[in-house]
Structure formats: C-alpha cells, structure tokens
Amino acid sequence: MDPNSYANNSTYQRGVVDAAKELLSKAIAEKLDIDILLSSNSFQIADLGCSVGPNTFFAVENIVEAAKFKFQSQGQDSQVPEFQVFFNDHTPNDFNMLFKSLPQNRRYFAVGVPGSFYGRIFPNASMHFVHSSYAIQWLSSVPKVVVDKTSPAWNKGRIHYLNSPEEVARAYEAQYTEDMECFLHARAQEIVYGGLMVLTIPGHPNGSSHSHSSINMSFQLLGSALMDLARKGGVSEEKVDSFNIPMYCMSPQELEAAVERNGSFSIESMENLPHVSVDDTVSKSQLFAAHMRAGMEGLVKQTFGEEILDELFDLFGKKLEEPPFIFETGKTINFLCVLRRKGNGFEHAV
C-alpha cells in the first residue's frame, strides 16, 4: 500500500471517530426511536464520504453496536433487526480497496453507493440513520468566480480564502450556503420521519474569525509553498492562480442557521468533541504534513501532476516549523451535531 495513502495517514481522523464514539452512542441511546422500524425488518445506515477505510468501519461498528444495545435495552432482544450499511463517496473513490478491507467479522451487509452527497443518492424515506465524519467541509466545487480573471473575486496567487479579498471569502461562503441547502434537502427526502443524522465536522468556534482557523492557516502555507515552487520555475504561476481548494471551515452557528433555513430537521444536540491526541513519537509538523498530503495529493496531482508532490509537501512541512506556529495560534474545533428528521409526530426530542 502507498505509504502516502489516506488509509495510512488518517490517524487524526481515526482519533476524531474515537472521540465521537461516546456522543454517538449517547445520541442513539437517547434519541433513536425504535418505532421508526415498524415497517422494516432491516436497519438502514449510510456513511457519507466513507473514503477507503479503515475509519469508516470503526464509525459504522460504533453505530451498529449502539443500535443493537438500544434494542436489547428495550427488551427487544429477539427483534434486533439486520443491519445494512451503505458506504458512499465520489465516483473516483477506490471502492475496490474499500471492499477488500471490509472487516471479516462485520455484523452488517455492505453496499457501495457512488455519487455526490450534495444530490439524491437514496430512495425516499429509506434511511434510518445517516452518518458523516470529516466530509461536509468539502464543497461540491470551487466557486466559479474565484478562478475568473475578470471577477473581483479572482483569487490570484492564493489557493483558499484566508487573507484573500473579501469577495473571495464571500464566494466561498455563498457556495457553502448553497451546498448545505442541497445536502439537507436531499437528506430530508431520504431519511424516514424520526430518523437520525449525525455529522462530525472540523470548524472554527462561534465568534472567531476565519483567520484563526488552523485548517485555513495550513492552506495558506500550502499556497505559499506552491508560489515558492512557481518562483523557482517548478510550476507555472498561471496554474497556481487556477487552483483553489474547495473546502469551507464552518462554525456551529453557521450549521445551525442552515438547518433552520431548511426546516426539515430538529437539532437534538451540538457539542464540541474533546481534543484529539496524536502520535507523539513523530513531530506535529511531520504528522500534519503527512496527513495534509494524504488528503490533498489527489487534488494537487490533477492540476500540477505527480512530479511536484515530494518537493511541495517537503516545503510545506518546513513552513509548518516556522513561526507563527499554527499549532499554537490556530483555533480549530471538531463538533458533532445530531439531527432528527421532523414529521409524523417526531417534531421534538423524545
């Protein structure tokens, strides 16, 4: 397996899944109404943005375990349903690798569902529980205006919205708003009344500025490393101008506003996750650079080709070690939001 692959460099995301386990189990214990299964003999779970594993399997196992416990604790031991899990990601995702890695001892039937979760991917009222971890910060696309040379939002010389003209940040925000509208509208059709959706999201605290987000700061450093390569002739500056990362770092308040605008879900809880500890046998900057490469190299490769990857991420790693240190000054939170599909008497928490 490629040493730079996501599967080998997603221990931080695994830490987030582990940190979310207790809140996830609590949400299922307290908020899942088993009556939603009356007309179905299988419990349908979707994991959106599953990638290639192994983190999706840990998350799904936590959900299945908590749901089984919920049935058993309500004296429904003989009526624990079968579980079917739908693993969803973009079409280019390596589903073959995902299926090869499926746990042998899994307690569910597995299905792959390719396609963007910003549109419909399941039939009406077919899902009982939808989960997504570290996925909906990705936008459906880069806002068109930021790569348009004639637009005031043209993001020349930068690859993200931090320290860019205000028009760029507004374009990203507008894209996020539109995407979340599509995301919630599609899920409202697919999730049964009373069904739950649990989202784990990297964001920035309410009331803090985008410039304090360590995710945004890291993209600024990656952009700076790309510009260094352009100055040395390693890549064309024009290509850097055409390259932007389609990711938006939201606050809990922004998600809350999107849910309220949509109107189909009640917010059952929204909590920050505890701090995720990382492997201290390697430096933070090395670990962060490896994780950044695993998450970004596919995008970088599409625009600049494979040959710049080693040099680019070496440069990025060095920039992480220069002051100001983003690990000390950046403010990033991981938060978990539990939503319930309204309707049919499921208007509020049970």
Side-chain angles (χ1 to χ4, degrees), residues 3 16 26 28 41 50 87 90 124-125 131 161 166 168 219 246 254 256 289-290 305:
V16 171
K26 185 179 170 208
I28 290 171
N41 58 4
C50 62
F87 293 97
H90 278 298
N124 278 334
H131 173 264
Y161 55 81
E166 200 181 321
V168 176
F219 290 148
E254 286 177 292
E256 205 172 318

Side-chain angles (χ1 to χ4, degrees), residues 108-316:
Y108 52 84
F109 297 95
V111 181
V113 181
S116 167
F117 51 55
Y118 288 117
R120 287 289 303 275
I121 42 180
F122 303 114
N124 278 334
S126 59
M127 291 294 130
H128 299 109
F129 193 99
V130 170
H131 173 264
S132 185
S133 180
Y134 258 60
I136 66 167
Q137 74 275 15
W138 287 100
L139 299 172
S140 62
S141 63
V142 170
K144 289 186 178 65
V145 288
V146 304
V147 290
D148 177 358
K149 290 180 184 179
T150 64
S151 164
W154 184 34
N155 202 18
K156 180 174 170 54
R158 299 180 191 85
I159 65 169
H160 203 232
Y161 55 81
L162 186 59
N163 291 349
S164 291
E166 200 181 321
E167 291 87 350
V168 176
R170 279 208 299 266
Y172 267 87
E173 196 177 325
Q175 186 70 52
Y176 155 77
T177 302
E178 185 188 317
D179 284 349
M180 278 310 296
E181 200 176 299
C182 295
F183 178 84
L184 291 169
H185 180 68
R187 300 300 82 76
Q189 293 171 79
E190 296 164 354
I191 297 172
V192 300
Y193 292 136
L196 297 180
M197 176 156 64
V198 175
L199 306 172
T200 304
I201 303 161
H204 66 97
N206 290 335
S208 71
S209 129
H210 283 295
S211 60
H212 292 139
S213 156
S214 52
I215 294 174
N216 293 348
M217 291 160 83
S218 67
F219 290 148
Q220 190 182 1
L221 291 182
L222 186 63
S224 164
L226 267 171
M227 285 307 286
D228 287 355
L229 282 184
R231 283 184 206 102
K232 292 195 311 193
V235 295
S236 83
E237 206 166 313
E238 203 175 333
K239 274 191 177 173
V240 179
D241 292 341
S242 73
F243 178 74
N244 281 261
I245 292 172
M247 189 183 283
Y248 184 79
C249 196
M250 72 191 82
S251 68
Q253 231 162 13
E254 286 177 292
L255 180 62
E256 205 172 318
V259 172
E260 281 170 14
R261 275 193 304 272
N262 170 266
S264 299
F265 295 91
S266 57
I267 298 175
E268 300 294 312
S269 67
M270 200 178 289
E271 295 183 55
N272 289 352
L273 295 184
H275 178 70
V276 176
S277 53
V278 291
D279 179 2
D280 53 11
T281 58
V282 291
S283 77
K284 273 186 178 174
S285 53
Q286 276 179 300
L287 192 67
F288 195 90
H291 278 60
M292 180 66 110
R293 176 168 182 166
M296 293 293 147
E297 75 168 24
L299 266 184
V300 172
K301 223 187 316 191
Q302 277 173 24
T303 303
F304 303 100
E306 205 164 348
E307 46 290 342
I308 73 156
L309 292 173
D310 290 342
E311 192 178 357
L312 174 64
F313 287 100
D314 280 351
L315 256 177
F316 173 69

